[in-house]
Amino acid sequence: MSMTATVGRAHADPHHIGLVVEHPGPASKRIVTAYGFWVFLLSDIVMFSCFFAAYAVLSGQTADGPKGSEIFEQRNVAIETVCLLLSSFTCGMASIAADVRNRFWFYLGMAVTCVLGLIFLAIEFREFADLVARGYGPSRSAFLTSFFSLVGCHGLHVSAGVLWLLTMMAQVFAKGFRADVLRRMMCFALFWHALDIIWVGVFSVVYLLGGGA
Amino acid sequence: MSDQTHVPAGHDLAPGEEEQHSVGARILGYVVGLALALLLTATSFFIAGTDLVWQPSIPVALIVLAIAQMGVHLVFFLHITTGPDNTNNVLALAFGLLVVFLVVGGTVWIMAHLNQNMPPMDQIMPMRK
């Protein structure tokens, strides 16, 4: 927005308030796309807040089943957290490489991001499989239901993110750094960073707070 | 529109977009963000397992550390800043946060009151004796 004082330009200042608002026209497609995706991400975060609220209410309702402190392994969670943090960093490196049209660093950054995301998913899947095998599946207690839905929903988002990541690599490979591909890449980077923010909430609230109580 | 020369004053920034920086400065931003995030994460995990601090303060400390780390991610990774070109992005974020706090805070508040006012039968019966 630019507000410029005008003298002697009455046609642009019909009410003589001394200010004229210049309308530079619609924003560029890059801004419109990213802003729309940003609004989607915020609504996704609102959806996650419902799962967080459910977990906060139900975390004590264990129905004589296991408590959080009995099933959470801090070491695994720490590894998962470091994986996601590093993958957020490499995703940032890949988007910088895309902006400067450097294919090698783009592929390298995206590949490392993909591997870190897959390590995260593997650890999470092993944790879930182990819990179910011990009879602590989502139907065991309200606490476990809310735990599996919250952490599983985040895991589904990461899985979708990995698929999207591979699609972006394929699109850059086939189409190059076209404007539309770069817009998608920007949305993907936003998505991946937002997932990391949600994971900060998950490991703090679910694993550290829920594991200590 | 005026017929004067168009001055490209203060364009808006897309979410996630940075102001014009060199590649080195952008990489440095991510490195700083990663270092801060790792530091806050390590502190969280240390606080959660330590006996060094007063135990009832741990949940508050964990929540404060989590919010600080989310702020670090927003600033250094998502580049949501307070600059005038970022106003739209910040306003959308503020509304999202309002809804999040209403949902989480409201749920916890209401359910805690329900638990207090409507305890299970086996806890009510001894009170009536």
Side-chain angles (χ1 to χ4, degrees), chain A residues 1 9 23 30-31 34-35 38 42 46 49 57 81 85 89 92-93 96 99-100 190 193 196-197 200-201 204 209, chain B residues 1-2 9-10 12 14-15 17 23 26 30 37-38 41 59 66 70 73 77-78 88-89 92-93 99 103-104 107 111:
Chain A
M1 302 277 170
R9 278 208 289 152
H23 293 289
R30 187 176 162 84
I31 291 180
Y35 187 70
W38 177 233
L42 288 169
V46 167
S49 78
V57 168
T81 307
L85 269 180
F89 176 76
M93 294 301 105
I96 292 178
D99 284 345
V100 298
L190 282 174
H193 293 317
D196 209 10
I197 290 186
V200 171
S204 299
L209 276 180
Chain B
M1 297 302 272
S2 67
D12 284 344
E17 211 170 32
V23 171
R26 292 183 64 185
Y30 278 97
L38 282 175
T41 304
M70 288 176 186
H73 283 247
F77 293 160
L78 285 157
N88 290 332
N89 309 336
L93 174 69
V99 179
V103 168
V104 175
T107 307
M111 295 309 286

Side-chain angles (χ1 to χ4, degrees), chain A residues 1 13 71 76 79 112 116 146 167 193 197 208 213:
Chain A
M1 302 277 170
D13 183 19
I71 55 171
N76 279 349
I79 298 173
V112 175
L116 288 168
S146 60
T167 315
H193 293 317
I197 290 186
L208 296 184

Side-chain angles (χ1 to χ4, degrees), chain A residues 141-203:
Chain A
S141 65
F143 155 65
L144 282 167
T145 307
S146 60
F147 165 75
F148 273 93
S149 15
L150 173 55
V151 182
C153 190
H154 178 268
L156 280 181
H157 275 75
V158 176
S159 315
V162 169
L163 287 179
W164 190 358
L165 184 158
L166 294 172
T167 315
M168 289 318 302
M169 286 178 82
Q171 287 198 339
V172 169
F173 180 75
K175 304 176 181 174
F177 292 114
R178 281 187 348 207
D180 53 347
V181 176
L182 284 177
R183 280 201 300 274
R184 287 168 207 158
M185 181 58 205
M186 191 164 70
C187 290
F188 167 74
L190 282 174
F191 183 72
W192 199 259
H193 293 317
L195 284 187
D196 209 10
I197 290 186
I198 292 171
W199 179 254
V200 171
V202 170
F203 84 72

Side-chain angles (χ1 to χ4, degrees), chain A residues 79-92:
Chain A
I79 298 173
E80 283 178 301
T81 307
V82 171
C83 279
L84 268 198
L85 269 180
L86 288 178
S87 81
S88 229
F89 176 76
T90 55
C91 174

